[in-house]
Amino acid sequence: MNFVGHEIEDFKVNAYQDGETKEVTKADVLGKWSIFFFYPADFSFVCPTELEALQDEYENFKQADAEIYSVSEDTEFVHKAWAEASEKIGKIKYHMLADPAGKLARMFDVLDEDAGQAYRGVFIVDPDGKIQSYTINNMGIGRSAAEILRTLQAAQFVREHGDRVCPANWKPGQDSIKPSLDLVGKL
């Protein structure tokens, strides 16, 4: 199934964030860009490296008017215990969503039912709640926080400048492309 352009469904889940538990709903993510970052499990191996890399870029995501929502099938209490046990996870300031029933993982179609864990999915959701980009990796393949940020910035640029597109490896401030017949076969 292709998720691009699809609006996310209503949801309500518990979360752990910076020493507190809270509830997060679809209404909370509307009005800004959101990164839903699925990972297999707390207290694992590749996951803390990815979550730390996202934290290292978190200020840049916030400057881009985006919020990060990491998601695993663990509870908010397990997220808290992991933050207290791991220096890498203890640094995290963004939301860690709890999805023990697999509702979000099923909604985004990243749940490995047999393992009870989510594949490594990244979904960039616009302020209207529509998915603009997504990637899904197998469990053992880590992701690049810098590339997620770059993709977010490209999605934002395209939304703001509907007549322009972003070439490979585009970054803010670089030239974009305005599609036209004059360019056909010249790029």
Side-chain angles (χ1 to χ4, degrees), residues 73-176:
E73 304 317 289
D74 300 286
T75 68
E76 66 274 25
F77 307 114
V78 176
H79 293 332
K80 178 184 186 302
W82 195 24
E84 290 172 352
S86 167
E87 184 179 319
K88 291 177 186 292
I89 303 307
K91 297 187 310 185
I92 292 173
K93 301 295 182 193
Y94 52 81
H95 299 83
M96 298 180 76
L97 302 185
D99 190 33
K103 292 180 181 178
L104 287 175
R106 283 185 186 92
M107 180 172 81
F108 286 95
D109 198 21
V110 295
L111 185 63
D112 178 335
E113 296 279 352
D114 291 335
Q117 296 178 330
Y119 290 104
R120 296 184 190 282
V122 176
F123 295 81
I124 298 175
V125 178
D126 71 18
D128 300 321
K130 293 184 179 175
I131 297 168
Q132 295 302 316
S133 175
Y134 69 97
T135 59
I136 301 171
N137 293 357
N138 208 342
M139 306 270 186
I141 304 168
R143 295 152 292 175
S144 165
E147 176 56 18
I148 296 166
L149 178 62
R150 189 204 70 78
T151 304
L152 165 71
Q153 292 165 330
Q156 291 173 326
F157 181 89
V158 169
R159 180 178 167 109
E160 184 177 335
H161 305 92
D163 65 336
R164 304 199 70 79
V165 296
C166 300
N169 301 316
W170 176 91
K171 291 184 180 173
Q174 293 180 338
D175 289 339
S176 60

Side-chain angles (χ1 to χ4, degrees), residues 48-89:
T49 66
E50 292 184 312
L51 296 179
E52 180 183 37
L54 278 176
Q55 179 57 44
D56 291 345
E57 293 284 353
Y58 188 44
E59 283 303 316
N60 293 324
F61 280 97
K62 288 183 4 182
Q63 288 175 8
D65 194 33
E67 185 56 59
I68 296 171
Y69 299 94
S70 66
V71 189
S72 77
E73 304 317 289
D74 300 286
T75 68
E76 66 274 25
F77 307 114
V78 176
H79 293 332
K80 178 184 186 302
W82 195 24
E84 290 172 352
S86 167
E87 184 179 319
K88 291 177 186 292
I89 303 307

